[in-house]
Amino acid sequence: MIRVRHSIPGRLRLSIRALRHNRPFADDLSVALTHIDGVVRVRINPVCGALIVNWQRDRPVRDEIEATLRAVLGEPILHPGPSWRRWQAALGPAGTDPNADSIACRACRQTGSERQRGMRHPWLWRLLGFAFLTGYLGFILAREYLFKRPVASGALSLTGVVALVAALPLLRDAWHETTVEKRFTLHQFLAFSLLLAIGFGEATTAFEIIYVLSGGRLLERYVAERSRRAIRDMLALSIKDAWVLVDGSELRVPVAELTAGALVVIRSGEKIPIDGCIEDGQAEVSEAVITGRAEPVLKTPGDHVYAGSYLEQGVLRVRAESVGEQTYLARIAALVDAALDQKAPLQRRADVLAARLLTLGTLLTVATFLLTRSLSRAFTVMLVMSCPCSTVLAASTAVSAAIHSAARRQILIKGGTALEQVGQARIWCFDKTGTLTTEEPEVVEVVAEDERALMHWAGSAEWHNPHALAHAIVSHAKTLGIRLQPHTESEHILGHGVKAKVDGTQVLLGNARLLAQEGVDLTAYADAADRLRTQGLTLVYLALDGELQGLLGIRHRLRPGAREAIARLRAEGVERILLISGDERGVAEGLSRELGLDACYAELLPEDKAEVVRRLRSELDTQGAGRVGGRATGGIVMIGDGVNDALALSEADVGIAMGAGGSEVAIEVADIALADSDIQKLVTLHELSRATLRRADQNYALAVGTDLIGIVFGALGRLSPAMGGMIHILHTLGILANSSRLLAFKPTGSAASSERTLPPASSSMTVQQ
């Protein structure tokens, strides 16, 4: 079954059942799609059966892509229709389809299968099993080295039986890859070697290797589970009950029992428990958890709201469209959860290296036997080389630890590929509003005959108004040292402004539409309004008893730490930092000069932003990749926060969404999401990526070095099979310890980057439209 999960111009994401756990078929499908003229990138995750295709937006190739999929798979493509949420709501009373392809990852399926087998506490059983293996290893070491008594290692001995039982998960994986995936991997070679070791009476050696493999798997699962738990806790709704309107009466219903189609009533001060469409009412809704915007948004009938948003003022009746696991926040967690199973190029290189070591090991085993005529020496070499699990763990443990470390800092990384690429990208592109600037406004200019008098009336009228613009006005008045006067009457007009009576004077404060409706003449300050408007400022007019007194120009603040973050990125080797904005040219150019950016692309529509990113990628491809630490570097990072950035995020090599993705589209296409819009986390992310690459390189060196030393000593007869197994224990523990350092990763302080100052405003910045 093929389902379209997400679609925007130039990008298609599908869920395909036939791709699951079938890497050879995934490779064949990738080749078939890549041969289509216009397709620029194909990404497949066989673990979850996910396929993502990117193509040139100016090429009409989507029909050809779908035709190729139907021809190769022999199945129809199920499209979601004009509304993705309505399609999901139609799947069933709870918004889910038990037969649909989900985005559940390997760990979820393992947990589900364990529960089906009656394992109510799978982690308890895993820990008990590993504790038993640890205890048995201690028994072997104590008996052999303390009491100098040999341990029986035959196939039918206790050690042989324990080793065989402990190897069952490995044998099951090897059988699956042989019969289902039809490919030869590390699992088959390792399983064959272990069975051979047990059969030849080297059960102790086989047990030591199995113990190392079990410990590595347990650690990987633990780190991944900690990451998933951190993500779930961060995105939890923390809502227990909701009010549902049934036959004119409001009933209190547990959130877990809500179904699609229910009419939910939400009032001031409550969190929204579902995704849905407003049928009645209007209110100001804080979507900070969704978009990162501090300023509430006026919502009216026909608008959509999302679970986790906070209703600040007003009353809404919302028709539920997505509930429970189908809500936007739940899908964020599921997408990141599934991405933990995606392999980065770093990890794929580990697989390639492990395969080469296996080939080399086979040749060395045969060569050792032919040269020495010693079965014991050849068997020792085979055991040393047959378990390159530490080589595979070299990358996977570093990536898993780094993803967990990032999740603790509310940085959601959707797979190891993005983690690796973000530290090597040469060009970083920033959106302006919501990215470099916050959603917290500030008063930057007051136009009036008497500024202090105007701020007195404005601040007094807005004194108790919770709106973000009101906070900016009151804060500016207090900064000027103005003593505000309480108002006797106040009416907050949603989306327009406020009417208040202060000391017997009628104060009208709001946008031009509000004042025009009240009959206030605005021509006296028309020129000033045009000037402030061209600067990209929000205009707030003030009238007293129907007479216009002046106006305020308000803009969003520069995000705290933006200057320092840009300086540190430059200090760490990022070649170019650009601004890609839809704002007016003058506003964008001013911010670029203020921050010393290398180029500014202004007045862009969403598709224009994507075109800029494509052009930059083409330029990098023409120039060729650079080298850092022996590794190819290059690529584009795009940072944005909303729907208008989604196309650019999808075109970039790494898309980073500020504020947990800013929008549903943004979180779908972004590779990384910052849950709290802290721009300094971009520097932390960059440093974490580079630290992960260093740890993986160190792990590779340790794994390969100890294997080669073991081969030499084994071939010379200086290493017994049992000691060959101990080599794996020692260097695997070293790799795990080295990777675990990323769990305590701490970014460098700003002092290191403060030595490098921003370029002056007159630098070689280019401004383009």
Side-chain angles (χ1 to χ4, degrees):
M1 184 179 294
I2 312 172
R3 290 189 183 275
V4 176
R5 291 302 188 189
H6 184 260
S7 175
I8 59 175
R11 185 180 188 274
L12 184 66
R13 178 173 178 267
L14 305 102
S15 176
I16 303 176
R17 187 189 302 274
L19 287 178
R20 291 187 178 180
H21 302 288
N22 196 339
R23 192 173 297 275
F25 181 62
D27 294 339
D28 293 340
L29 182 59
S30 177
V31 171
L33 293 174
T34 304
H35 285 164
I36 298 176
D37 189 23
V39 172
V40 296
R41 181 165 53 176
V42 177
R43 288 183 290 173
I44 297 179
N45 181 7
V47 176
C48 301
L51 167 67
I52 299 175
V53 185
N54 294 81
W55 67 89
Q56 298 174 7
R57 294 183 62 249
D58 57 345
R59 304 291 296 275
V61 298
R62 173 160 177 170
D63 291 342
E64 186 177 353
I65 292 172
E66 294 189 359
T68 301
L69 290 172
R70 287 192 295 267
V72 173
L73 297 166
E75 298 178 0
I77 299 178
L78 303 183
H79 293 269
S83 172
W84 193 86
R85 297 183 191 86
R86 291 189 179 89
W87 170 70
Q88 277 206 326
L91 291 178
T96 58
D97 180 3
N99 299 317
D101 292 57
S102 68
I103 50 178
C105 65
R106 176 179 58 200
C108 299
R109 291 192 298 273
Q110 287 175 339
T111 302
S113 62
E114 287 164 346
R115 288 175 178 171
Q116 290 177 358
R117 295 196 301 267
M119 298 174 61
R120 296 182 58 186
H121 304 286
W123 266 105
L124 176 61
W125 289 104
R126 292 173 192 161
L127 292 175
L128 288 176
F130 189 70
F132 171 77
L133 295 181
T134 303
Y136 195 78
L137 178 63
F139 162 75
I140 292 176
L141 296 177
R143 184 178 177 88
E144 289 189 344
Y145 296 101
L146 292 182
F147 300 103
K148 306 299 182 182
R149 299 180 62 185
V151 176
S153 296
L156 300 180
S157 66
L158 179 61
T159 302
V161 174
V162 171
L164 186 61
V165 172
L168 287 178
L170 173 65
L171 298 176
R172 184 169 57 248
D173 289 343
W175 178 258
H176 177 81
E177 291 174 351
T178 303
T179 59
V180 178
E181 300 187 21
K182 301 185 184 304
R183 61 191 182 102
F184 185 76
T185 67
L186 167 68
H187 289 142
Q188 291 101 317
F189 194 96
L190 184 55
F192 174 76
S193 299
L194 293 176
L195 291 177
L196 194 62
I198 295 173
F200 272 92
E202 293 290 345
T204 301
T205 302
F207 174 79
E208 291 172 351
I209 295 175
I210 293 171
Y211 177 79
V212 172
L213 184 63
S214 300
R217 284 187 167 188
L218 186 65
L219 179 65
E220 282 191 279
R221 285 187 177 184
Y222 171 74
V223 173
E225 182 63 26
R226 285 285 300 271
S227 300
R228 295 182 174 100
R229 190 181 306 119
I231 294 167
R232 287 195 298 268
D233 294 343
M234 182 172 57
L235 300 177
L237 278 178
S238 67
I239 308 172
K240 295 182 179 180
D241 299 312
W243 293 95
V244 178
L245 192 63
V246 180
D247 296 330
S249 300
E250 292 186 14
L251 301 179
R252 193 168 187 170
V253 178
V255 171
E257 298 178 9
L258 288 176
T259 59
L263 189 59
V264 183
V265 182
I266 307 107
R267 295 179 173 81
S268 299
E270 296 179 353
K271 274 189 176 182
I272 298 174
I274 44 86
D275 292 354
C277 181
I278 299 173
E279 289 199 354
D280 184 37
Q282 60 178 358
E284 290 190 338
V285 178
S286 172
E287 296 182 327
V289 68
I290 306 297
T291 66
R293 298 184 180 92
E295 183 178 342
V297 180
L298 177 65
K299 295 288 186 177
T300 56
D303 292 338
H304 278 84
V305 293
Y306 302 94
S309 301
Y310 180 78
L311 198 152
E312 293 199 350
Q313 290 185 351
V315 179
L316 295 178
R317 293 183 179 180
V318 181
R319 184 69 64 180
E321 295 182 343
S322 296
V323 299
E325 295 299 320
Q326 297 302 319
T327 62
Y328 167 50
L329 281 181
R331 292 201 307 276
I332 293 177
L335 286 169
V336 180
D337 189 41
L340 287 173
D341 288 317
Q342 296 179 6
K343 286 193 174 185
L346 187 69
Q347 293 171 269
R348 290 195 290 269
R349 283 200 297 272
D351 291 340
V352 173
L353 180 58
R356 290 175 179 174
L357 287 175
L358 287 175
T359 303
L360 179 62
T362 303
L363 295 176
L364 290 176
T365 300
V366 174
T368 301
F369 178 75
L370 293 177
L371 292 176
T372 65
R373 299 294 179 178
S374 170
L375 185 62
S376 176
R377 294 185 185 185
F379 189 61
T380 300
V381 171
M382 185 187 73
L383 287 178
V384 170
M385 295 301 297
S386 69
C387 186
C389 53
S390 57
T391 308
V392 178
L393 289 175
S396 62
T397 56
V399 170
S400 297
I403 290 179
H404 172 62
S405 181
R408 288 168 51 193
R409 294 173 169 84
Q410 295 190 319
I411 302 173
L412 311 180
I413 303 176
K414 296 167 61 175
T417 301
L419 174 65
E420 179 178 356
Q421 290 181 338
V422 75
Q424 304 175 52
R426 296 163 59 185
I427 299 178
W428 284 51
C429 305
F430 285 85
D431 173 49
K432 175 184 170 289
T433 306
T435 304
L436 289 175
T437 61
T438 70
E439 296 298 338
E440 181 182 354
E442 63 178 346
V443 177
V444 296
E445 187 169 348
V446 179
V447 180
E449 294 182 1
D450 187 342
E451 177 183 355
R452 293 183 61 85
L454 185 139
M455 290 307 305
H456 165 76
W457 295 110
S460 298
E462 297 278 24
W463 199 352
H464 297 117
N465 189 346
H467 197 280
L469 292 180
H471 283 302
I473 292 171
V474 172
S475 175
H476 187 69
K478 291 182 177 179
T479 300
L480 296 176
I482 296 174
R483 184 175 182 180
L484 301 181
Q485 188 173 352
H487 49 248
T488 55
E489 297 179 9
S490 179
E491 178 186 359
H492 179 218
I493 304 171
L494 291 176
H496 291 82
V498 65
K499 289 182 180 179
K501 184 165 288 188
V502 180
D503 195 21
T505 301
Q506 186 71 35
V507 181
L508 187 64
L509 188 71
N511 56 27
R513 181 180 299 178
L514 174 63
L515 271 73
Q517 290 175 353
E518 297 294 327
V520 178
D521 185 8
L522 305 179
T523 56
Y525 286 91
D527 292 340
D530 290 340
R531 178 175 58 83
L532 297 182
R533 196 176 291 111
T534 57
Q535 298 176 15
L537 303 181
T538 299
L539 304 185
V540 177
Y541 295 85
L542 183 137
L544 300 179
D545 293 328
E547 295 293 331
L548 184 64
Q549 303 297 312
L551 70 158
L552 298 83
I554 302 176
R555 72 174 181 184
H556 294 294
R557 299 176 185 271
L558 183 66
R559 191 172 292 282
R563 298 176 186 273
E564 294 79 3
I566 291 174
R568 290 177 63 185
L569 287 173
R570 289 191 186 279
E572 291 178 9
V574 176
E575 294 181 8
R576 301 177 65 196
I577 302 179
L578 317 177
L579 179 65
I580 300 180
S581 175
D583 277 349
E584 295 183 2
R585 184 171 181 174
V587 177
E589 181 180 351
L591 180 64
S592 296
R593 288 200 181 101
E594 184 180 352
L595 295 177
L597 304 184
D598 297 296
C600 171
Y601 298 85
E603 299 180 355
L604 301 178
L605 297 174
E607 54 267 30
D608 299 325
K609 292 184 177 182
E611 179 59 33
V612 170
V613 174
R614 279 195 294 270
R615 188 162 65 246
L616 292 171
R617 287 184 60 195
S618 177
E619 292 175 2
L620 281 183
D621 292 340
T622 302
Q623 297 170 5
R627 308 289 299 183
V628 172
R631 221 180 242 106
T633 64
I636 310 289
V637 172
M638 175 68 197
I639 305 101
D641 77 318
V643 174
N644 60 338
D645 303 312
L647 287 174
L649 291 173
S650 68
E651 290 292 341
D653 295 285
V654 180
I656 302 178
M658 298 285 287
S663 68
E664 179 179 351
V665 176
I667 193 61
E668 288 280 358
V669 302
D671 302 292
I672 299 172
L674 308 187
D676 58 359
S677 299
D678 181 2
I679 199 169
Q680 291 283 5
K681 285 185 169 60
L682 295 175
V683 182
T684 300
L685 177 64
H686 189 265
E687 294 183 3
L688 179 61
S689 172
R690 297 204 162 200
T692 304
L693 296 176
R694 290 194 297 270
R695 295 290 184 275
D697 287 341
Q698 294 165 4
N699 291 345
Y700 287 151
L702 178 60
V704 176
T706 51
D707 277 347
L708 293 178
I709 292 173
I711 291 171
V712 173
F713 280 92
L716 295 176
R718 303 295 181 87
L719 190 70
S720 67
M723 291 304 297
M726 288 300 298
I727 285 180
H728 294 302
I729 294 179
L730 295 177
H731 74 184
T732 300
L733 290 177
I735 287 172
L736 297 179
N738 191 43
S739 294
S740 67
R741 293 166 57 195
L742 290 170
L743 296 174
F745 171 80
K746 292 183 180 180
T748 58
S750 59
S753 62
S754 62
E755 298 176 359
R756 182 186 178 100
T757 59
L758 286 171
S762 59
S763 65
S764 58
M765 181 194 73
T766 59
V767 181
Q768 305 183 33
Q769 179 172 339

